Amino acid sequence: GQVQSHFLKMKYNPCVIYTILICKNKHLFYFPLNSLKSDEAASGPKQGPTFQDGQRRVDYVLTYHVQKPQSVRRKTSRFADYRILRSLRRSLSTMRSGGTPPSKEDPEIAAHKHRLDYHEDDKRFRQTEFEDNLREVGLELEKDEGNKIPGIGFLKIHAPWNVLCREAEFMKLKMPTKKVCNVVERINLFIHKVTAPLHPKVEPNRPQNKYFLLKRTRCTKAKYTMGMGVNDICLIFLDCTTCRITSLLGNGVYTAAYPLHDILYEEWASYSVFYKYQPIGLIRKYFGEKIGLYFAWLGVYTQMLIPAAIVGVIVFLYGCATVDNDIPSMEICDPRNNITMCPLCDRACSYWKLKTACGTARASHLFDNPATVFFSIFMALWATMFMEHWKRRQMRLNYIWDLTGFEEEEDHHRAEYEIQVMQKTLKKQDMSPKVVKGFLLSFPLQIGVTFAVVFGVILYRISIRAALHMSSNPTARSNIRATVKGTAAVINLVIIIIMDEVYGAVARWLTLLEVPKTDKSFEERLIIKTFVLKFANAFSPIVYLAFFRGRMVGRPGDYVYVIGSYRMEECAHAGCLMELCIQLCITMLGKQLIQNNLFEIGIPKIKKLIRRRKSDMDSQQQEDYNMTLERHEKDHFLGPFVGLSPEYMEMIIQFGMVTLFVASFPLAPLFALLNNIIEIRLDAKKFVTEVRRPIAARAKDIGIWYNLLRGLSKVAVIVNAFVISFTSDFIPRLVYQYMYSPDGSMHGFVNHTLSYFNVSDFQPGTAPLQPMHLGYEVQICRYKDYRETLWSNTPYDLSKEFWAILACRLAFVIVFQNVVMLMSDFVDWLIPDIPKDISLQIHKEKILMVELFMKEEEGKKLLRDNHTNQSPFQPRSRPASHTPSKC
């Protein structure tokens, strides 16, 4: 009674969605309750989809196959045995009376039909039993087997008000206890008023400065409590550990189970509100905590990208502003430096002038300058700040959503696992060796395929460069570097997109082969396999360009060859950082625009177009037909919800591209920010309009994804240290300026990095076919490396400058890694995981809880004292029984 009175006193918001979970006889069932007014208090028709009476709202829908019209449909298997006996008796009586014997039928066909009939009868019996159980707990059902969608029947379910009140009384309530007004609350209220235009207009104004006293009871069936705020009920959950609706779906008793879509489009899924905050509270009530946490995390990640994008743009602009003052670039572009370089390939390539690499050198300075070192340190600290900010945000949501004491119980067995057990195919002696063998063979094979693809692109670069050098077209010969870089990056992108889909299917196949027991185990195994395969697929070309290209080349006259006459690739004179930047830019933009956005937008439209093409109706008839469909019938045509793993995976790969190689591409945070602004609304639109509304699921955190993010943030420090040290020219420039420069400047740095080669030392068959390409005979050419001079005792050996620079590079990696990680750990220690106002409220709630228990104990003690002081001849006074009033 107290629950119902509090429900009716609330300022009811008809757009708020609530959730209840009912179980009966080993079946699990979730209900999104779109109306929490009592049946007595409701006046007028209900909003949204309703039963045929127009009053009772449809809270949940189950679909099943309808093979025959209802008038001639076979009865359930409760009468199957009686029907079989009656048929046998009729056959025997016919034979005894001398009538015509029944027609003969193939025994195999008859047995097959009998198995199919028995299977269908068993499904009908389980369906009828399940529906009877739902009626026993007080739920109201209505079947719809109309002809709008042939072969599909709908079971509409409504949860009456008295059922909600009964379950709410059983699970206790979280009630407002005392007003709290402090400085933090006033500051938050002021900030909320200032940013009011950025907040969506979907929730009513909530009374401020409230906190709640949580009363928990641990019952045999009730694991979670129902939390109620000032204006709404948050969640009602009644959980049974053996309850499974998914087993009925897995066995084909029902084909689909889903609540109905209702709201959340205009103020969340529309692109016109991209500048507003997300209505996280309403998303949680509409979809559940698990999806609410995903969109909350995505919002925090997008907000944190704003300062990273601003700093990245500043670093890029600094490179643009200082490119004209960069001495090494000026020396390369100076035509007075008549430096002749050695050929870039055997025979087909000829000698070339260093000044032709002027554009590449100037472009490299945009990303390879002292500011990139600062930006790498900043991004390492940014990743730590992001993780800490998310932990605080998650803790605040846990408190608001009443998840602080939430503990996950042991997960239920998967329907597929139960089917395997029932069919007696899941045997350790048979399945385990097969699973291990399949994993050991398939998983390394996929990694090997990734490396083979990278190697194939390497061969493409080598061969296309030689072909362009032999071309007679002057335009092709003048743009060899740009052509090779651009086409190779595009090929890598196409292969990455294709192999992503292949690896996703392979990871799911391997996980299904293992037959995990629970949904949680299945999800975690699938995530790990998918992440490893897709991460290797996306970052293998980038890792090759950053750390391997140009390292195992050799020198003129003694080059390293692969597969016969293919010479290993060399970096440009300005280094491989520019090519790394191009590859990272094309991969990141391509995956975001094509794979993440165009696929999510285009594939649903293509499916709709195919469905219209298969239909016999024209566009006007199709539109009229859609107008006649009800909400539950329209939702049936939507795609099934496949989980949050694809959405998380997109963002995790993006986070890796933003943090791992940010030293080579400071604009990565900006592109990620622009993508995520669209991604939030695109995901929202997909969840609201393209897929069926998923069953609400509770979760306290984002699970294994947080561990992956934290691991990537740690690896990013090491990767950026190696990129700065070995891929860029930052360390060689510092060593030259402070150890070898005569005047402490960068003048002469280019000449210092070039070694000499006598063209008479070319191996036979490797000299240029056109040695007079420059108009004169070349006797000595230059190449980028630190080697002894021609006039030394050991020509072409690695010089002492090489070893000095290598030592400085390794020292920089060690110092950079330890300093940045120490700073990150300090930031982690400095920022508390729990916000101060939340910790204060939790502390006050504990004090109130202790005071409540103390008062109860004092009352019990006083009652015992009164009982002791009573006369033995005086009849005992019986305490009044408090029977809860009915709702």
Side-chain angles (χ1 to χ4, degrees), residues 263-284:
I263 55 171
L264 278 179
Y265 183 82
E266 293 183 357
E267 289 296 331
W268 182 46
S270 176
Y271 292 106
S272 61
V273 294
F274 72 92
Y275 60 93
K276 290 187 177 182
Y277 292 105
Q278 300 181 85
I280 296 298
L282 189 55
I283 296 171
R284 170 251 179 173

Side-chain angles (χ1 to χ4, degrees), residues 99 153 225 242 250 272 281 286 330 341 382 456 516 532 557-558 617 735 745 826 828 838 859:
T225 61
T242 59
S272 61
Y286 194 80
M330 295 170 62
M341 303 297 294
W382 172 87
V532 172
D558 189 20
M617 297 179 290
V735 172
S745 66
F826 176 74
D828 190 359
I838 299 296

Side-chain angles (χ1 to χ4, degrees), residues 203-259:
E203 291 184 309
N205 295 326
R206 303 171 64 103
Q208 302 293 324
N209 305 328
K210 295 277 187 180
Y211 71 89
F212 311 104
L213 175 63
L214 182 61
K215 299 180 181 179
R216 293 192 179 275
T217 58
R218 194 176 187 88
C219 305
T220 56
K221 289 186 178 180
K223 174 62 181 173
Y224 314 117
T225 61
M226 188 202 77
M228 185 175 66
V230 178
N231 287 330
D232 59 80
I233 298 175
C234 297
L235 286 173
I236 305 176
F237 271 89
L238 180 62
D239 186 22
C240 296
T241 57
T242 59
C243 298
R244 292 293 288 175
I245 185 63
T246 54
S247 63
L248 297 177
L249 296 173
N251 289 318
V253 178
Y254 293 101
T255 59
Y258 52 90

Side-chain angles (χ1 to χ4, degrees), residues 91-108:
S91 301
L92 289 174
S93 62
T94 303
M95 294 176 65
R96 288 172 181 174
S97 61
T100 305
S103 60
K104 294 183 180 181
E105 186 178 7
D106 190 347
E108 293 185 0

Side-chain angles (χ1 to χ4, degrees), residues 732-741 745-749 752:
R733 292 186 182 190
L734 286 181
V735 172
Y736 174 79
Q737 184 175 3
Y738 293 103
M739 293 181 61
Y740 300 105
S741 177
S745 66
M746 292 302 297
H747 290 284
F749 172 73
H752 181 262

Side-chain angles (χ1 to χ4, degrees), residues 108-296:
E108 293 185 0
I109 297 177
H112 180 68
K113 290 182 178 180
H114 177 72
R115 285 195 299 269
L116 292 178
D117 291 342
Y118 177 80
H119 184 63
E120 292 297 327
D121 289 341
D122 180 66
K123 288 197 296 185
R124 292 193 190 98
F125 174 72
R126 297 181 65 181
Q127 179 179 345
T128 304
E129 182 186 23
F130 177 68
E131 293 170 4
D132 291 340
N133 294 334
L134 295 182
R135 292 188 181 94
E136 288 181 10
V137 298
L139 302 179
E140 299 177 0
L141 312 180
E142 182 180 82
K143 286 191 174 183
D144 182 4
E145 297 180 355
N147 296 322
K148 293 182 181 178
I149 305 178
I152 299 296
F154 296 92
L155 177 65
K156 297 181 284 187
I157 305 172
H158 170 70
W161 177 254
N162 60 341
V163 175
L164 304 184
C165 292
R166 181 190 66 204
E167 301 299 333
E169 288 280 7
F170 176 74
M171 303 183 69
K172 306 301 180 184
L173 286 177
K174 173 182 174 184
M175 303 291 292
T177 56
K178 188 184 296 184
K179 292 185 178 180
V180 178
C181 185
N182 51 36
V183 179
V184 177
E185 290 292 335
R186 291 178 178 176
I187 295 176
N188 292 335
L189 181 60
F190 174 75
I191 295 175
H192 182 81
K193 289 182 178 180
V194 172
T195 59
L198 301 179
H199 290 277
K201 301 176 182 179
V202 291
E203 291 184 309
N205 295 326
R206 303 171 64 103
Q208 302 293 324
N209 305 328
K210 295 277 187 180
Y211 71 89
F212 311 104
L213 175 63
L214 182 61
K215 299 180 181 179
R216 293 192 179 275
T217 58
R218 194 176 187 88
C219 305
T220 56
K221 289 186 178 180
K223 174 62 181 173
Y224 314 117
T225 61
M226 188 202 77
M228 185 175 66
V230 178
N231 287 330
D232 59 80
I233 298 175
C234 297
L235 286 173
I236 305 176
F237 271 89
L238 180 62
D239 186 22
C240 296
T241 57
T242 59
C243 298
R244 292 293 288 175
I245 185 63
T246 54
S247 63
L248 297 177
L249 296 173
N251 289 318
V253 178
Y254 293 101
T255 59
Y258 52 90
L260 301 182
H261 282 298
D262 193 10
I263 55 171
L264 278 179
Y265 183 82
E266 293 183 357
E267 289 296 331
W268 182 46
S270 176
Y271 292 106
S272 61
V273 294
F274 72 92
Y275 60 93
K276 290 187 177 182
Y277 292 105
Q278 300 181 85
I280 296 298
L282 189 55
I283 296 171
R284 170 251 179 173
K285 293 167 186 168
Y286 194 80
F287 292 111
E289 284 87 350
K290 192 171 185 179
I291 296 179
L293 283 174
Y294 163 71
F295 282 102

Side-chain angles (χ1 to χ4, degrees), residues 619-632:
S619 58
Q620 184 62 36
Q621 291 176 341
Q622 185 72 30
E623 185 176 353
D624 296 339
Y625 172 72
N626 292 334
M627 293 292 293
T628 62
L629 295 178
E630 297 184 14
R631 179 74 264 174
H632 63 275

